[in-house]
């Protein structure tokens, strides 16, 4: 049995949640996808697994404009508190991974994350 890692599954659900067609059933499924993503993300944040989450996020983000648009669209559907929390924790993880926050639309979260951007190697 192949079981996806929770961080990859959460990012997958963000993407799928934004791509469902706009009929009645798809709208309900889209909401369910985003709820599942949020639940997993909140659990990972509570367990301080932001680097794992950021790794899956950056991998998906780096796959191109369509993936970025899907992630942005899904994140925009959440309330402001969750969006801020998610972006702050992603900024911590991306920084820990040694990546540039600006490349992931997270540079505004640098100060909130309480981190400093690593120097280029």
């Amino acid at each position: 049995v192949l079981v996806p890692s929770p961080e990859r599954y959460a990012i997958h659900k963000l993407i799928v949640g934004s791509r469902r067609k706009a009929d009645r059933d798809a709208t309900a499924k889209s909401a369910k996808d985003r709820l599942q993503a949020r639940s997993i993300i909140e659990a990972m944040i509570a367990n301080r697994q932001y680097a794992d989450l950021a790794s899956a996020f950056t991998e998906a983000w780096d796959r191109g404009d369509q993936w970025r648009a899907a992630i942005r669209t899904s994140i925009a559907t959440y309330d402001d508190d969750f969006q801020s929390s998610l972006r702050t924790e992603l900024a911590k993880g991306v920084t820990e991974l040694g990546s540039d926050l600006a490349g992931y639309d997270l540079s505004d979260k640098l100060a909130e994350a309480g981190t400093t951007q690593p120097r280029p190697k």
Side-chain angles (χ1 to χ4, degrees):
V1 173
L2 294 176
V3 179
S5 64
E7 61 273 10
R8 288 177 175 272
Y9 189 70
I11 300 302
H12 165 77
K13 285 297 188 175
L14 282 177
I15 293 166
V16 170
S18 72
R19 291 187 172 172
R20 300 250 187 215
K21 297 200 183 337
D23 64 18
R24 186 175 53 88
D25 289 338
T27 302
K29 288 180 181 180
S30 177
K32 183 187 79 157
D33 290 333
R34 289 191 311 274
L35 179 61
Q36 288 174 332
R38 181 178 182 150
S39 297
I40 294 167
I41 289 167
E42 287 175 336
M44 293 189 77
I45 289 171
N47 287 307
R48 297 188 178 120
Q49 293 177 291
Y50 47 82
D52 293 336
L53 186 60
S55 178
F57 168 79
T58 58
E59 183 181 329
W61 190 268
D62 291 341
R63 290 188 179 250
D65 292 337
Q66 291 181 344
W67 287 52
R68 287 183 203 119
I71 292 168
R72 282 185 187 118
T73 298
S74 241
I75 290 174
T77 65
Y78 293 112
D79 60 86
D80 291 341
D81 288 341
F82 180 72
Q83 284 185 45
S84 181
S85 174
L86 173 58
R87 291 172 49 77
T88 299
E89 297 304 315
L90 285 172
K92 287 179 188 177
V94 169
T95 299
E96 187 174 304
L97 295 172
S99 297
D100 180 20
L101 294 177
Y104 299 99
D105 286 353
L106 297 169
S107 57
D108 62 321
K109 291 296 176 183
L110 185 62
E112 288 180 41
T115 58
T116 57
Q117 186 67 33
R119 293 178 186 239
K121 295 178 184 178

